[in-house]
Amino acid sequence: MADASFLPTLPQSDIVQAAQLIQQAYSPASAGSSDTQRRLQQELFDIQKRFEAWGLVIPFLHHEDFNVQFFGAHTVQVKIARDWDAFPHENAPSLRDFLLELTLHSIVSGKTKVILRKLFVAITSLALKIAPGSPSRWPEWIVTTIRIPVHPMQMQQTLFDAAPLVVQAVVATITQPRAQVRVRELESALKCLQSWMSVFRGNDITPLIPLLISLLSPPTPESEIDPDVFSPASDALQEIMTRSSLAGGAGVTSLTDPLLVWIDIWGPPESASETSHSLCKLIVTLGDHSNTYFASNITSQKSVAGSPHTRSHLVQSFLRLLLGYTCLPGYYGVDEEESEMTLGFWYLFQESLWSVEYDEDDGERGSVPPNSDVEERNRLAVVKAVYVELVRVLRRKVAWPPQNMLSGWAKDQVEKFQVYRRDVGDTLINAYYILRNDMLGYYLNDIQERLASRHDSNGWEEIEATLHCIMSVQEAIPLEDNPFLARLFGSDVLGRLPTTEQDRIRRTTLALAGTYASWFTTQSGTSSPTSPSLLMNAISYVVAALPEPAALAPHIGAFAELHAGLTGISDTEKSKVLQSIASVIQALPPEEEIPPVLAIVSPVVDKLAQALRSSPQLPEEARAVAIVQLQTLSGVAKGLTRSADSLLIIDETPAERADAERLRQARDDYRMVKLREDLFAAVRSTVELWSTDASVSDALSDFFRSITSLPSDTTLLSLPPGPLLELNISTLKSPPNVEGIAVLSNVLPVLLQTSLSMLGQPGAMESNPDIVQAFFGCLDIVAKHFIAIFYNLPPGALDALMQCAISSLSLQERYSLVATCTFLETLIRRTASSDDLGDASTILIQMHGRPILCAILCGFAGVAPRSATQNLIELLAVIASKYPAETREWMNEILFADDFVHSKATAEAKWAFVKAVVGSRSPKRTREAAQQFTLIARGLEGTSFGYASVSM
């Protein structure tokens, strides 16, 4: 052990006493008392602050108790990070050597990974303290740290030494005459090769490549490709391109060129088969590996060994084959499974086209720069031709089948095709960056040609597909005048789309108008009866397309008939529909918003008032109607709120102050004042009548959040928060009656026993998502109104319930997962805010908090469906706000554990996530950090699909 004489020496009695204090703090006996926990934690904190705490590190790490060992490692990390100024800096080199040897000893002695991680963090913290400066007190600290001669390094050298023997054995197997090759032996040899791939050096791998490529070909020109040989050889080549020293575009002449020559000779198999699927995986992997090569050699006239063709011919042959898989006949998920695999390449290819760096010496990467403007124009022409074909192909692939065919699809096939359409949207954004308005021009011409040649009710699927493509690229289109968008939203296109029947194209067109709402704000708002503005055209279509039947609304006044005509839309969709309409209206100047807002909101308020009046005669029907109207009002309020982040506004410009004054004047209009008064009166009556109803309370809660705002986000409809808060306070009533509690006390244990017995069977929750949703929905209502009952359950019942809830957080069915999140959020929030439950909150979180948090974080990293991310975020926000210290500790342990779910998140991304969550008590900041981590972990950062999916 390195010299530790510079550290303070403590009496053995003090060390024993401190260790006992740690053991007491972590013992189950003290877990039940929050006062005891706080006292013990404070005493440990006081010990750790003293300089003498340095003397606890060695004895604690040698202690037999894991908790004491952990505190010793934690102490050295904390002392370096927090109390560095009090440490004698002349002893820094001694501390460096001591800490390195201490870490080495901990590795050799088999300390747990949690303790080792603490020591690694301590080493890094110390390096950040003493490495900077001139001269550095720890030069090349990373190199000197990783050169510690530990056992794993010796093992790595052993593997390096054994690599030639492995290669020799593999070569002996794969070079046998094809007629003598035994398939099982070949598969085993190539799987062994894949397992060793990360160990092999480049000179070990290069001789294997031509042997593997030869296995891709049939044994004779007259015979067919053997899938039993082709597939394992293809898998091995894919492993070389992804996990070996030749990954990342290396090995142009030894790997990329030979594979391109083989592809040019053999091309695609004649029919869909196992071989075809394996070939698709191979070319997709080659595309990821060599996308820079393709971008820089797409017009290169350099010859390639083993082929009479130039690199440009081989690259273009490869792109044709990839496009062939992208446009496979049939529908993805039903007729074929390969086309989706190719989509990622087009993003990488577009990025490489923008960042090509030509090598004048034509080295290993093989890039040959164009030597004239003519050649560069030729290159751009070829690139554009490729992406034009891609756009044509993808437009066809996203078209839905005719209804008679679609009715025969299974539910999972429909959902798979929907996801495929969204993924295609990301690829189209990359194509737009290459083609720009040429792409929009193609789409507009396609729509108009199909409109001109369409007969009867046929052909809408193809037009809907084109509209979907235009909607997908919205985020890439600049907010400026665009002649193609003007054509799209003009009478020649939008005015000829169906406003009755044809549900799918109507829904897509409505979504298209909402998606381009921000673009309308850049257009001239002037209009006349003979020449309506583009915004008025869009609003008119929205109005006309919702009711059935209805004529095309000629002007803004058509909104007066809107709400009564929503008979063809389910109650659950009405608030979303009107939110989309409101998002278009908010682009108007404030004074022009008044008529459509009145037209939308007045019928809703009237219907809410009518439901209140009919409640004595038809209580259940009136309650259901009231809930729908509150949800509709919430949707309108959200739609009218502009998307600008008001927290970023520091100083208002004169233009912004003028806009604020126009809004104030519009709000003071007597019609809007009257509307808000009627709205508040209806809401007040709703609170007085149904405040104890859980469903109404949920609708009211969402309404209150939507209808209130910061001053900079105020809309024509915004209500002041003060009176609404008074309404909330007025609903506080006495606790439920004794009879109701008695009934639930008898019923709930039976319900839990029956339900948990059924749901605890293997696969039961996955097979019965509707039961899971209903079960946790019921428990959520109980938790909202009878929280204490959960803590009076028979022994073990609550623990069994929590284990079931934690398990259901990994379900793939969205609605059951959402119901579970809602229940857990209610249970944790209500328990923490109740003064009558004593230490129940502390016990609940100590026993189940870490597993819940683990399920949440795994869900962010890819376990949970993307559509449920928002619910997991809300649950995380509750836990982080109520239990910040525990959240900090558990997030560090979970995210950096070796068994944490594999994801794209780097250590830096995980640290940033933890820091953002525990460093801010703001729920908004927690939500933003969780959304960003979700995108990074799933590999969706920077994609429109990613941002859309986490905000659904």
Side-chain angles (χ1 to χ4, degrees):
M1 178 66 71
D3 181 24
S5 59
F6 64 95
L7 297 178
T9 304
L10 301 180
Q12 185 64 26
S13 58
D14 290 351
I15 296 172
V16 171
Q17 184 178 357
Q20 291 174 344
L21 190 62
I22 296 169
Q23 292 171 317
Q24 183 181 358
Y26 285 96
S27 69
S30 63
S33 171
S34 57
D35 293 338
T36 302
Q37 278 287 317
R38 282 194 292 270
R39 177 181 60 78
L40 292 173
Q41 292 292 342
Q42 185 60 46
E43 291 183 19
L44 291 174
F45 179 76
D46 293 340
I47 291 174
Q48 210 172 46
K49 284 198 306 183
R50 298 168 56 190
F51 179 77
E52 289 77 8
W54 285 102
L56 296 173
V57 174
I58 294 178
F60 275 10
L61 281 172
H62 290 161
H63 199 279
E64 60 183 12
D65 190 307
F66 164 78
N67 293 319
V68 178
Q69 295 174 14
F70 176 83
F71 192 83
H74 181 61
T75 297
V76 69
Q77 175 198 338
V78 169
K79 298 300 288 183
I80 294 173
R82 189 183 65 197
D83 302 332
W84 179 249
D85 292 341
F87 185 83
H89 287 192
E90 63 273 12
N91 291 333
S94 300
L95 177 61
R96 174 198 63 199
D97 299 339
F98 162 77
L99 187 55
L100 286 174
E101 192 163 342
L102 183 68
T103 303
L104 174 60
H105 182 269
S106 297
I107 295 172
V108 173
S109 61
K111 291 289 190 294
T112 66
K113 294 178 180 179
V114 174
I115 292 173
L116 296 180
R117 189 178 297 115
K118 284 286 183 183
L119 294 174
F120 293 154
V121 173
I123 291 174
T124 305
S125 298
L126 179 61
L128 294 176
K129 300 289 186 183
I130 66 176
S134 182
S136 172
R137 287 180 288 175
W138 198 349
E140 299 183 347
W141 71 273
I142 295 178
V143 176
T144 58
T145 301
I146 64 175
R147 284 178 178 170
I148 300 175
V150 296
H151 182 67
M153 298 294 290
Q154 297 172 350
M155 178 60 71
Q156 185 74 8
Q157 186 58 49
T158 302
L159 294 175
F160 283 144
D161 295 340
L165 296 176
V166 177
V167 172
Q168 182 179 353
V170 171
V171 169
T173 300
I174 65 178
T175 54
Q176 298 179 76
R178 187 70 67 89
Q180 301 177 13
V181 171
R182 289 180 293 179
V183 172
R184 184 165 296 180
E185 181 181 343
L186 177 68
E187 289 179 345
S188 299
L190 294 182
K191 283 188 179 296
C192 174
L193 175 66
Q194 294 177 52
S195 300
W196 279 75
M197 200 63 70
S198 60
V199 178
F200 290 152
R201 297 179 174 90
N203 56 2
D204 294 323
I205 298 172
T206 301
L208 294 171
I209 294 174
L211 301 177
L212 292 172
I213 293 178
S214 68
L215 294 177
L216 300 177
S217 306
T220 63
E222 297 78 18
S223 58
E224 296 182 354
I225 292 176
D226 184 354
D228 292 332
V229 176
F230 182 94
S231 294
S234 171
D235 292 343
L237 287 166
Q238 293 170 47
E239 201 76 4
I240 290 175
M241 289 185 280
T242 54
R243 291 185 58 242
S244 76
S245 56
L246 298 184
V252 166
T253 56
S254 59
L255 178 59
T256 304
D257 281 344
L259 275 173
L260 290 178
V261 171
W262 184 91
I263 289 171
D264 185 58
I265 294 173
W266 292 101
E270 294 183 358
S271 60
S273 62
E274 179 185 349
T275 302
S276 177
H277 185 80
S278 182
L279 175 60
C280 183
K281 291 169 57 180
L282 178 64
I283 64 171
V284 167
T285 305
L286 177 60
D288 293 346
H289 171 274
S290 303
N291 57 84
T292 301
Y293 172 94
F294 298 137
S296 55
N297 286 282
I298 194 169
T299 55
S300 168
Q301 297 304 305
K302 178 179 172 59
S303 60
V304 176
S307 172
H309 302 297
T310 62
R311 279 184 170 173
S312 65
H313 173 89
L314 297 179
V315 170
Q316 292 174 35
S317 178
F318 168 84
L319 293 175
R320 278 192 294 272
L321 178 57
L322 196 69
L323 274 170
Y325 275 105
T326 305
C327 69
L328 283 174
Y331 296 94
Y332 173 74
V334 178
D335 304 308
E336 52 87 9
E337 300 285 343
E338 287 79 25
S339 60
E340 185 271 341
M341 295 164 54
T342 68
L343 297 180
F345 167 79
W346 301 107
Y347 160 72
L348 296 173
F349 188 46
Q350 177 254 315
E351 290 288 318
S352 297
L353 288 168
W354 277 5
S355 56
V356 169
E357 294 182 2
Y358 296 105
D359 184 356
E360 296 292 343
D361 296 328
D362 189 28
E364 170 66 7
R365 296 277 174 172
S367 15
V368 180
N371 54 23
S372 70
D373 291 341
V374 174
E375 292 185 15
E376 177 61 16
R377 286 196 297 271
N378 179 49
R379 173 176 172 273
L380 293 177
V382 173
V383 169
K384 283 193 171 184
V386 170
Y387 274 92
V388 165
E389 184 60 25
L390 175 67
V391 167
R392 294 177 186 273
V393 162
L394 293 179
R395 193 218 61 80
R396 179 183 65 79
K397 288 291 290 183
V398 298
W400 287 95
Q403 186 58 42
N404 60 346
M405 182 186 297
L406 182 61
S407 60
W409 285 14
K411 180 182 178 182
D412 63 323
Q413 291 175 323
V414 174
E415 292 175 348
K416 197 171 186 178
F417 189 70
Q418 288 173 329
V419 172
Y420 170 73
R421 279 167 53 103
R422 291 197 294 267
D423 290 347
V424 165
D426 261 355
T427 303
L428 290 175
I429 288 178
N430 305 129
Y432 175 82
Y433 289 135
I434 299 293
L435 302 176
R436 301 290 177 175
N437 276 353
D438 290 345
M439 181 175 177
L440 294 180
Y442 162 72
Y443 284 144
L444 266 294
N445 291 336
D446 178 82
I447 292 176
Q448 291 183 301
E449 289 173 5
R450 294 182 187 277
L451 285 172
S453 60
R454 194 186 58 79
H455 300 288
D456 300 325
S457 60
N458 298 324
W460 289 121
E461 292 87 2
E462 298 294 333
I463 296 176
E464 187 276 339
T466 308
L467 293 175
H468 171 80
C469 294
I470 297 175
M471 182 170 60
S472 299
V473 301
Q474 177 273 328
E475 72 170 47
I477 297 178
L479 295 177
E480 57 190 31
D481 289 343
N482 189 301
F484 298 102
L485 292 181
R487 281 171 58 192
L488 173 65
F489 292 109
S491 57
D492 289 342
V493 176
L494 188 62
R496 298 181 62 186
L497 297 179
T499 56
T500 61
E501 301 178 346
Q502 306 302 330
D503 292 344
R504 188 179 303 282
I505 189 170
R506 286 166 56 215
R507 285 198 300 269
T508 301
T509 309
L510 290 171
L512 177 72
T515 301
Y516 279 88
S518 57
W519 179 80
F520 288 118
T521 63
T522 67
Q523 305 304 300
S524 171
T526 59
S527 62
S528 66
T530 59
S531 179
S533 69
L534 297 177
L535 178 56
M536 290 300 100
N537 273 344
I539 292 176
S540 296
Y541 180 86
V542 169
V543 175
L546 290 172
E548 239 187 282
L552 183 66
H555 50 74
I556 197 68
F559 274 100
E561 302 174 3
L562 172 62
H563 188 261
L566 292 179
T567 56
I569 299 176
S570 65
D571 288 344
T572 56
E573 294 295 320
K574 284 186 179 180
S575 64
K576 296 180 181 178
V577 170
L578 288 187
Q579 181 176 342
S580 296
I581 298 173
S583 69
V584 176
I585 295 174
Q586 60 88 21
L588 293 169
E591 61 275 10
E592 294 183 26
E593 289 184 37
I594 296 175
V597 169
L598 289 169
I600 286 179
V601 178
S602 295
V604 183
V605 176
D606 292 343
K607 198 165 185 178
L608 178 58
Q610 182 180 353
L612 292 165
R613 289 192 296 270
S614 65
S615 60
Q617 294 79 29
L618 301 168
E620 288 302 314
E621 292 83 349
R623 185 184 68 86
V625 171
I627 291 173
V628 171
Q629 307 318 306
L630 289 171
Q631 292 171 342
T632 303
L633 289 168
S634 299
V636 173
K638 292 172 184 175
L640 290 176
T641 303
R642 295 179 183 266
S643 59
D645 189 350
S646 58
L647 296 178
L648 300 178
I649 299 175
I650 301 175
D651 297 317
E652 287 187 334
T653 64
E656 290 168 343
R657 286 194 291 271
D659 290 341
E661 177 60 23
R662 292 177 70 183
L663 176 62
R664 186 193 64 77
Q665 293 177 3
R667 280 180 57 85
D668 289 344
D669 185 284
Y670 74 93
R671 295 169 294 176
M672 292 308 306
V673 173
K674 178 67 165 56
L675 178 63
R676 291 197 300 271
E677 289 176 350
D678 293 344
L679 174 60
F680 182 79
V683 171
R684 180 176 57 197
S685 299
T686 304
V687 171
E688 293 171 352
L689 184 59
W690 286 307
S691 63
T692 58
D693 182 274
S695 299
V696 176
S697 296
D698 287 344
L700 283 169
S701 176
D702 188 39
F703 171 76
F704 289 156
R705 286 195 297 267
S706 305
I707 205 68
T708 54
S709 66
L710 294 172
S712 56
D713 294 329
T714 300
T715 70
L716 294 182
L717 207 58
S718 298
L719 295 179
L724 295 177
L725 181 60
E726 291 179 6
L727 284 181
N728 275 326
I729 295 174
S730 69
T731 63
L732 298 178
K733 301 182 184 296
S734 59
N737 59 65
V738 176
E739 181 181 356
I741 294 177
V743 171
L744 267 178
S745 298
N746 293 327
V747 172
L748 188 59
V750 178
L751 173 66
L752 291 181
Q753 181 179 1
T754 304
S755 302
L756 294 178
S757 297
M758 178 266 181
L759 295 175
Q761 300 298 319
M765 287 196 290
E766 291 81 355
S767 303
N768 300 278
D770 53 338
I771 296 178
V772 177
Q773 179 187 4
F775 174 60
F776 285 108
C778 171
L779 294 179
D780 180 58
I781 295 174
V782 176
K784 285 177 179 175
H785 301 283
F786 303 93
I787 187 64
I789 287 182
F790 286 95
Y791 299 97
N792 293 321
L793 290 169
L798 180 59
D799 292 339
L801 171 61
M802 296 303 293
Q803 291 168 9
C804 176
I806 292 167
S807 298
S808 67
L809 288 177
S810 61
L811 295 177
Q812 294 302 301
E813 206 283 327
R814 176 178 182 271
Y815 293 104
S816 53
L817 196 155
V818 168
T820 306
C821 289
T822 304
F823 162 67
L824 289 174
E825 182 182 346
T826 301
L827 181 69
I828 294 171
R829 190 191 302 276
R830 293 298 305 276
T831 302
S833 60
S834 175
D835 296 330
D836 302 327
L837 297 178
D839 294 331
S841 176
T842 302
I843 297 173
L844 177 71
I845 209 66
Q846 284 180 345
M847 294 189 66
H848 305 291
R850 191 183 189 282
I852 293 174
L853 194 60
C854 182
I856 293 172
L857 298 177
C858 290
F860 292 157
V863 172
R866 287 185 291 263
S867 56
T869 300
Q870 289 298 321
N871 304 89
L872 292 173
I873 290 174
E874 294 300 325
L875 183 54
L876 171 64
V878 170
I879 296 175
S881 64
K882 301 294 183 184
Y883 311 99
E886 291 85 350
T887 301
R888 178 189 301 110
E889 177 182 352
W890 291 336
M891 286 186 69
N892 277 314
E893 293 176 0
I894 295 166
L895 289 173
F896 292 95
D898 292 336
D899 59 352
F900 184 68
V901 61
H902 178 71
S903 72
K904 303 288 186 181
T906 62
E908 291 78 8
K910 294 178 181 178
W911 281 118
F913 180 32
V914 175
K915 182 178 179 181
V917 172
V918 304
S920 171
R921 300 297 293 273
S922 165
K924 181 175 184 244
R925 184 71 184 92
T926 299
R927 294 185 185 99
E928 292 173 348
Q931 288 174 344
Q932 181 66 15
F933 177 75
T934 300
L935 293 174
I936 294 173
R938 295 173 186 255
L940 298 173
E941 185 183 24
T943 69
S944 62
F945 174 53
Y947 287 108
S949 61
V950 299
S951 60
M952 282 190 298

